[in-house]
């Protein structure tokens, strides 16, 4: 006998829809906090589905708050804040999302360039959409106007004053002509208002981008250009002589391993050149197995890379090599 479990699938699907709707409502609320989202059961799945609004929510400040949950030991043994939130934060951070990983592997200058590229891509897409809109609406509107003019000429020829017997018929023709003109004027006004609204939205977006750039420039003045603020904040987990919490150490090393898998050269350069002081902390806390395993992974990668290429890549700045490659491609 065949059994049908379709009703179970329907129930699960409805539950997933309900949770995603709850997340959407929270994202539309400007007062929503990170904790409001971390409590949602479907947050991890929604994040992996690349929800645009959700990714925008994770700006630099909220990413830093995520880091807090995997490097700061909770004061109280609370089930939600002490266990659930760190687990969810770790799952979000270890999902390979370019928007988040760039904050840990690119300098501020590189982040600005990356954003400019994304904005250029968005502007190209919007220009294509505008062309399609004009082709569909404006050109079709011009064709309609031509058809209306042709129909009007035919109508005028058919209703030649010679064939019109009464003055009332003339008045009716004039009224219909005026009504069609008014309708055309309304359409033109609506199209102009749409264009003006589109221009205003573009200007507002440009202003926001400029304000963000100014804020980033101010931060750059305070923070060294070759340093990565969020990565340094993550590494601050090791800057203690106290024994490290083994659960948080696991979360910490898991995320470092994910960053290493994403862009190994960037992370190796930063740890061995820009932050060589932190290597002592790795060794100091090597009593934690996860830390010693990660450190050995770094050293093995260094040895393999140097043996294969006969030169030490640690002395190369990966950001400079990327720029040189871009210049070669442009030439």
């Amino acid at each position: 006998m065949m059994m049908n479990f379709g009703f179970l699938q329907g129930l699960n699907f409805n539950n997933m829809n309900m949770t995603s709707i709850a997340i959407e409502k929270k994202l539309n609320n400007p007062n929503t906090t990170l904790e409001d989202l971390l409590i949602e059961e479907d947050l991890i799945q929604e994040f992996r589905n690349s929800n645009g609004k959700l990714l925008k929510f994770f700006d630099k400040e909220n990413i830093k708050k995520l880091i807090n949950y995997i490097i700061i030991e909770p004061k109280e043994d609370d089930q939600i804040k002490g266990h659930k939130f760190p687990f969810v934060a770790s799952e979000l951070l270890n999902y390979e999302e370019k928007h988040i990983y760039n904050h840990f592997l690119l300098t501020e200058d590189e982040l600005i360039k990356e954003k400019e590229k994304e904005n250029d891509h968005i502007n190209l897409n919007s220009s294509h959409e505008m062309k399609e809109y004009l082709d569909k609406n404006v050109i079709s509107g011009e064709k309609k106007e031509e058809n209306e003019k042709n129909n009007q000429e035919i109508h005028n020829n058919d209703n030649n004053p010679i064939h019109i017997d009464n003055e009332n018929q003339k008045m009716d023709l004039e009224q219909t002509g005026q009504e069609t003109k008014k309708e055309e004027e309304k359409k033109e006004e609506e199209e102009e208002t749409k264009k003006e609204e589109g221009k205003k939205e573009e200007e507002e977006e440009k202003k926001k981008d400029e304000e963000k750039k100014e804020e980033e420039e101010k931060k750059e003045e305070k923070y060294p250009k070759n340093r990565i603020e969020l990565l340094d904040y993550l590494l601050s987990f090791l800057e203690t002589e106290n024994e490290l919490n083994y659960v948080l150490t696991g979360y910490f090393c898991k995320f470092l391993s994910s960053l290493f898998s994403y862009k190994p050269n960037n992370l190796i350069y930063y740890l061995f050149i820009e932050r060589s002081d932190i290597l002592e902390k790795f060794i100091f806390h090597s009593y934690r197995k996860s830390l010693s395993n990660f450190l050995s992974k770094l050293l093995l990668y260094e040895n393999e890379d140097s043996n294969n290429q006969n030169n030490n890549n640690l002395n190369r700045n990966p950001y400079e090599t990327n720029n040189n490659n871009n210049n070669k491609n442009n030439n």
Side-chain angles (χ1 to χ4, degrees):
M1 180 178 177
M2 297 292 291
M3 298 186 70
N4 185 6
F5 294 96
F7 68 96
L8 291 174
Q9 292 179 355
L11 287 172
N12 290 333
F13 182 74
N14 289 333
N15 288 334
M16 286 177 69
N17 282 340
M18 288 298 290
T19 51
S20 63
I21 290 169
I23 290 172
E24 286 294 323
K25 286 182 179 178
K26 288 184 177 181
L27 290 172
N28 291 329
N29 184 0
N31 297 322
T32 296
T33 62
L34 176 63
E35 288 71 22
D36 293 333
L37 291 174
L38 291 176
I39 200 69
E40 292 293 335
E41 295 296 331
D42 201 37
L43 178 65
I44 296 172
Q45 186 60 42
E46 200 69 22
F47 186 85
R48 290 175 178 174
N49 290 337
S50 298
N51 184 316
K53 288 182 181 178
L54 186 58
L55 294 178
K56 284 183 180 179
F57 178 84
F58 286 101
D59 55 8
K60 194 172 183 178
E61 292 180 2
N62 284 320
I63 294 172
K64 190 174 183 178
K65 290 177 182 178
L66 274 182
I67 294 298
N68 286 337
Y69 282 109
I70 67 168
I71 67 171
I72 298 176
E73 191 170 354
K75 295 180 181 179
E76 298 178 359
D77 189 15
D78 182 71
Q79 179 63 29
I80 294 175
K81 291 184 178 180
H83 298 278
K84 179 183 173 65
F85 286 178
F87 171 77
V88 175
S90 176
E91 290 296 308
L92 296 178
L93 289 168
N94 283 285
Y95 183 72
E96 194 173 292
E97 176 56 48
K98 180 181 176 182
H99 165 69
I100 289 178
Y101 278 37
N102 282 347
H103 282 283
F104 294 91
L105 296 169
L106 298 180
T107 61
E108 291 296 329
D109 290 335
E110 290 293 322
L111 279 174
I112 292 169
K113 290 177 182 178
E114 194 71 22
K115 287 179 181 179
E116 287 176 353
K117 288 179 182 178
E118 291 176 359
N119 290 332
D120 291 339
H121 183 68
I122 291 167
N123 291 331
L124 284 172
N125 289 334
S126 61
S127 63
H128 288 308
E129 289 175 358
M130 282 295 294
K131 286 180 181 178
E132 289 178 359
Y133 174 80
L134 292 171
D135 291 338
K136 288 179 181 179
N137 296 304
V138 177
I139 293 172
S140 61
E142 290 175 355
K143 288 180 180 179
K144 285 180 181 178
E145 288 178 0
E146 289 179 0
N147 291 330
E148 286 176 358
K149 286 179 181 179
N150 293 329
N151 292 329
Q152 189 68 30
E153 289 176 358
I154 294 166
H155 186 71
N156 290 334
N157 292 329
D158 292 337
N159 295 284
N160 197 300
I162 297 170
H163 300 287
I164 295 172
D165 297 328
N166 299 321
E167 292 181 358
N168 292 330
Q169 290 178 349
K170 290 181 181 180
M171 294 294 293
D172 292 336
L173 290 172
E174 290 177 356
Q175 287 178 357
T176 53
Q178 290 175 357
E179 289 175 358
T180 53
K181 286 181 180 179
K182 288 180 180 179
E183 289 177 357
E184 290 174 358
E185 289 175 355
K186 285 181 181 179
K187 288 179 181 178
E188 290 177 356
E189 288 177 358
E190 289 175 357
E191 289 177 357
E192 287 178 357
T193 51
K194 286 180 180 178
K195 289 179 181 179
E196 289 177 357
E197 288 174 357
K199 288 180 180 179
K200 287 180 181 179
E201 289 178 357
E202 288 179 358
E203 289 176 356
E204 289 176 357
E205 289 178 357
K206 287 180 180 179
K207 286 181 181 179
K208 289 180 181 178
D209 292 336
E210 288 175 357
E211 289 175 357
K212 287 181 180 179
K213 285 181 181 179
E214 288 178 358
E215 290 177 359
E216 289 170 353
E217 288 174 357
K218 289 179 182 178
K219 290 179 181 178
E220 280 180 4
E221 292 175 358
K222 296 179 182 178
Y223 209 78
K225 287 186 176 181
N226 293 332
R227 298 285 286 271
I228 302 173
E229 187 176 353
L230 281 183
L231 185 53
D232 283 343
Y233 186 70
L234 176 69
L235 295 172
S236 67
F237 174 69
L238 301 174
E239 294 175 353
T240 179
E241 294 182 356
N242 298 328
E243 185 176 346
L244 297 177
N245 181 293
Y246 73 95
V247 176
L248 294 182
T249 306
Y251 287 144
F252 170 80
C253 291
K254 185 179 179 181
F255 183 46
L256 271 184
S257 297
S258 296
L259 294 174
F260 179 74
S261 298
Y262 184 68
K263 285 188 177 180
N265 289 334
N266 290 48
L267 188 60
I268 287 174
Y269 177 85
Y270 195 78
L271 293 178
F272 282 84
I273 305 300
E274 296 295 338
R275 287 299 311 272
S276 58
D277 60 301
I278 204 69
L279 294 175
E280 294 179 2
K281 301 297 182 182
F282 273 96
I283 296 168
F284 180 81
H285 295 291
S286 60
Y287 54 85
R288 291 297 181 203
K289 188 176 180 181
S290 54
L291 262 178
S292 60
N293 288 340
F294 177 76
L295 186 58
S296 63
K297 186 189 292 186
L298 289 177
L299 296 173
L300 287 170
Y301 183 87
E302 174 200 349
N303 292 330
E304 289 175 3
D305 205 35
S306 58
N307 290 330
N308 289 333
Q309 297 188 5
N310 297 322
N311 59 2
N312 191 356
N313 277 335
L314 293 178
N315 292 326
R316 292 184 181 179
N317 187 336
Y319 312 113
E320 290 179 358
T321 56
N322 289 333
N323 292 331
N324 292 332
N325 289 332
N326 291 331
N327 292 330
K328 287 180 181 179
N329 293 327
N330 292 327
N331 292 330

